[in-house]
Amino acid sequence: MRVTIDESRCQGHGRCYSIAPGLFESDDLGNGVVLGDGIVASDQERHAHLAVANCPEGAVRIEGA
Amino acid sequence: MSHLPVADFATDFDHTDAAWVNDPYPIYEDLRARCPVAHSDRYGGAWLPVRHEDVTAIANDHEHFTSRNVVVNEGRPGPQAPPAPIGVAPPITSDPPFHQLARRLLLPAFSPKAINELEGYTRELCTQLLDGLGDVDHLDAAVDYAQHIPVGVIAKMLGFPPEDGDLFRGFVHIILEGVDLPFEERIASFEPLGAYFEAQIIDHQEHPRDDLTDFLLNVEMNGQRLEMRHVFGTMVLLLAAGIDTTWSAIGASIWHLARTKADRTRLVDEPELMPIAIEELLRAYAPVTMARLVKEDFDFQGHPMKKDDWVLLSFPAANRDPGVFERADEVVIDREVNRHAAFGLGVHRCVGSNLARMELRVALECFLERFPEFHLADESAVTWARGQVRGPRTLPLVVG
């Protein structure tokens, strides 16, 4: 499982890095950035799903689930 | 005040009507079933979508809608109005592509990192306000507490005298609530605000210091300093968008907790729940309704919109859409799946959302720590702001 952020949709609501700080961080503008390669460890899967479910713009996605 | 009461919100809605001001949620629900895009001839023609998908579509449609004015009132931007793309309060009154440039300048000052640095000051401010109340058993949480918090923080950020708080609130009241005044009266009412801001700008030019006003005076866009009307407009925006909104969110949250013992007790017992609870309170009591103007005549899903019609962009209504949120009309204090739109959708997402969240969290933490027990002194004595920002303006509580 891997998380991605569609930069064309992200508007910097900041929900992903608040909910899943192990997977995302903020850039200088407040937009979400995927940490590292975005591969989700098994103990982070729940956070990954919550980040997707809480993004108001539908910018956070999961691949290979 | 100056408008006739509304008989049918589907054909004659008015967001200054007493029924809307007191409780807009049943109105949204009724319109969602019947319309779902309501119309009104008031304000020279206005539309109101109440479904999440329609609000989303319009927020993202810059081809048919402009942000040139985002506060529904009796006038329209005329020849005297600040011209596009800057508009009266950039970047909220700007459209792409200028909007993106103007917004990018502001974002670093409101990033999570920048806002974290203000948390200590905010906590101190909240603690001082509560300490200043002394040993009370009654208080007005809107007047004695909530209203002072965003004023104190934004004054610090802009480098304005903190003792001018009442003045700021007066300016913001004119901008946001004086919307049903005749247009000339509304324009004239802005004069003291203009004079105040000019004086602050001159003071900053003569005595430079490290704050947001100085930043706006010196920052460059495309290799040039901002036009003075851009600086001025952004200062108006930060004041107008930063005060009543957060005041409303803090007040509405305290109002909810005063009426809902189970949620209050849970937050006292489980303070770690606060970040999730705040998102739910923001969803259920989203303070801000935005607006757009229709650019040219066009048909929106069968609704014949005319050039210069207003569209009220109700994020509060979108947040109560049962098609998107389970138990949409209930506050579920530990709601984990919450794709709410309290800070808007699309490119105009609230620049101050990180600041607002921090202020709301700290304000509630400090309040609950000081007063783990409180309830409404008199439900009927609670009053709500009118217009596009909704929150309690008097909130009498029995505490302790």
Side-chain angles (χ1 to χ4, degrees):
Chain A
M1 183 195 276
R2 184 170 164 264
V3 285
T4 63
I5 291 178
D6 180 344
E7 285 176 31
S8 70
R9 296 182 80 105
C10 176
Q11 301 293 353
H13 290 261
R15 303 286 281 124
C16 58
Y17 51 76
S18 302
I19 290 168
L23 297 171
F24 306 94
E25 66 178 344
S26 165
D27 68 10
D28 291 343
L29 303 178
N31 289 337
V33 180
V34 172
L35 282 171
D37 56 10
I39 302 292
V40 180
S42 56
D43 64 347
Q44 290 281 315
E45 285 182 9
R46 185 177 141 71
H47 286 110
H49 286 293
L50 282 175
V52 172
N54 282 282
C55 177
E57 309 285 352
V60 182
R61 309 232 172 94
I62 289 176
E63 290 173 358
Chain B
M1 276 190 250
S2 64
H3 284 174
L4 293 169
V6 170
D8 185 348
F9 279 88
T11 55
D12 184 37
F13 72 82
D14 189 333
H15 59 311
T16 63
D17 188 81
W20 176 295
V21 170
N22 288 331
D23 190 6
Y25 304 111
I27 298 172
Y28 304 148
E29 195 181 340
D30 172 52
L31 296 179
R32 210 176 280 117
R34 281 202 291 155
C35 297
V37 180
H39 181 262
S40 180
D41 288 330
R42 300 183 188 220
Y43 303 98
W47 300 88
L48 172 67
V50 288
R51 289 191 308 185
H52 188 283
E53 63 177 282
D54 295 336
V55 171
T56 305
I58 292 170
N60 286 298
D61 183 347
H62 310 291
E63 186 190 340
H64 297 108
F65 302 96
T66 171
S67 291
R68 202 167 161 210
N69 195 328
V70 292
V71 181
V72 171
N73 67 86
E74 296 288 358
R76 293 291 186 283
Q80 303 297 319
I86 296 180
V88 68
I92 204 171
T93 55
S94 311
D95 293 322
F98 175 87
H99 164 266
Q100 192 185 359
L101 294 174
R103 178 181 169 86
R104 214 185 150 86
L105 295 180
L106 288 179
L107 285 171
F110 292 90
S111 70
K113 185 165 165 281
I115 295 309
N116 281 345
E117 289 170 15
L118 287 164
E119 180 166 339
Y121 176 82
T122 307
R123 198 170 291 278
E124 218 171 280
L125 178 66
C126 292
T127 307
Q128 273 173 13
L129 287 167
L130 292 165
D131 287 350
L133 292 170
D135 191 16
V136 288
D137 51 12
H138 282 72
L139 63 91
D140 187 322
V143 174
D144 300 332
Y145 186 61
Q147 70 169 343
H148 301 289
I149 299 162
V151 169
V153 176
I154 203 72
K156 180 176 173 61
M157 290 179 81
L158 284 168
F160 289 7
E163 61 273 18
D164 290 349
D166 286 342
L167 215 58
F168 305 159
R169 279 189 296 274
F171 295 151
V172 178
H173 185 83
I174 289 166
I175 297 171
L176 296 177
E177 302 204 45
V179 293
D180 52 353
L181 288 175
F183 188 56
E184 285 72 26
E185 272 182 52
R186 178 167 167 81
I187 295 301
S189 69
F190 291 159
E191 276 172 22
L193 180 152
Y196 180 84
F197 275 48
E198 267 175 44
Q200 291 303 323
I201 288 175
I202 291 168
D203 185 55
H204 276 77
Q205 285 167 331
E206 288 172 356
H207 308 99
R209 50 231 200 226
D210 182 21
D211 58 31
L212 208 45
T213 300
D214 251 43
F215 169 78
L216 291 170
L217 287 169
N218 292 299
V219 73
E220 292 187 354
M221 195 170 77
N222 293 335
Q224 292 192 315
R225 284 192 182 174
L226 304 180
E227 288 176 46
M228 201 44 73
R229 63 194 173 91
H230 185 160
V231 173
F232 185 89
T234 297
M235 289 166 70
V236 172
L237 167 64
L238 296 178
L239 204 67
I243 293 181
D244 280 33
T245 50
T246 311
W247 171 13
S248 294
I250 297 168
S253 299
I254 293 176
W255 174 81
H256 171 78
L257 296 175
R259 303 164 78 234
T260 320
K261 186 173 196 285
D263 289 349
R264 188 178 70 246
T265 312
R266 192 144 174 223
L267 285 177
V268 170
D269 294 343
E270 300 172 47
E272 67 280 6
L273 187 64
M274 191 60 90
I276 287 177
I278 278 171
E279 299 304 326
E280 175 64 347
L281 293 164
L282 285 166
R283 181 193 70 82
Y285 304 112
V288 180
T289 296
M290 266 290 103
R292 297 285 185 270
L293 284 165
V294 176
K295 278 187 179 172
E296 300 293 341
D297 294 5
F298 96 112
D299 182 286
F300 179 79
Q301 302 181 4
H303 303 284
M305 295 186 172
K306 302 284 180 215
K307 178 178 162 57
D308 284 346
D309 278 354
W310 295 105
V311 179
L312 265 185
L313 210 49
S314 177
F315 299 115
N319 279 353
R320 299 278 188 132
D321 186 337
V324 176
F325 300 96
E326 286 175 28
R327 299 159 72 191
D329 266 332
E330 283 175 55
V331 171
V332 181
I333 203 75
D334 57 0
R335 187 187 293 270
E336 278 201 313
V337 174
N338 192 351
R339 191 176 272 159
H340 72 77
F343 294 110
L345 291 166
V347 301
H348 286 279
R349 185 270 304 168
C350 170
V351 161
S353 61
N354 296 307
L355 174 61
R357 283 188 166 106
M358 181 276 285
E359 288 183 28
L360 177 56
R361 175 172 53 78
V362 171
L364 293 183
E365 285 169 355
C366 292
F367 196 84
L368 284 168
E369 195 182 314
R370 173 73 196 271
F371 301 116
E373 293 284 339
F374 56 94
H375 59 268
L376 294 181
D378 174 5
E379 178 107 42
S380 66
V382 178
T383 63
W384 297 83
R386 62 208 294 268
Q388 285 173 236
V389 177
R390 182 174 193 269
R393 291 296 173 266
T394 47
L395 183 54
L397 301 181
V398 177
V399 295

